[in-house]
Amino acid sequence: MSEITIRFANEQDIAFLDETDRHIKEDQIRKKVADKEILVAAIGDDQLGLLRWNYFWDLIPFMNLLWIHPMYHRRGFGR
């Protein structure tokens, strides 16, 4: 298995994020990408998951969504 990379989402991830994250609209996804509020986990060029957060009182970060592709479930990637 190749090494997992965790990085901030970028413009090339928008289609993946829009298809995967059904809780917010594409314009909100684009703003979160610009604000560096979404991380993407990838193996090579394949995105396997995402982590999206927001803030309490505009200060304290909290996780809104942790999503791992079902093909990678039960393999420890969500830890």
Side-chain angles (χ1 to χ4, degrees):
M1 180 187 303
S2 299
E3 187 173 321
I4 298 171
T5 303
I6 298 174
R7 58 177 172 72
F8 287 108
N10 59 49
E11 284 291 318
Q12 290 75 35
D13 296 311
I14 297 292
F16 162 73
L17 297 169
D18 190 43
E19 180 180 314
T20 304
D21 189 347
R22 298 296 186 166
H23 302 286
I24 61 176
K25 296 178 181 176
E26 184 179 339
D27 61 325
Q28 294 169 305
I29 289 172
R30 287 184 180 281
K31 181 173 180 348
K32 289 199 158 292
V33 167
D35 292 343
K36 296 193 179 303
E37 294 177 354
I38 301 177
L39 294 174
V40 171
I43 295 177
D45 292 332
D46 297 330
Q47 300 117 325
L48 68 92
L50 70 95
L51 177 111
R52 176 172 51 82
W53 65 90
N54 214 336
Y55 296 92
F56 286 119
W57 305 291
D58 296 329
L59 181 66
I60 302 168
F62 68 94
M63 181 175 54
N64 277 79
L65 177 66
L66 175 62
W67 181 88
I68 304 293
H69 190 286
M71 183 170 69
Y72 295 98
H73 283 188
R74 305 186 63 86
R75 295 169 68 183
F77 293 112
R79 285 191 242 155

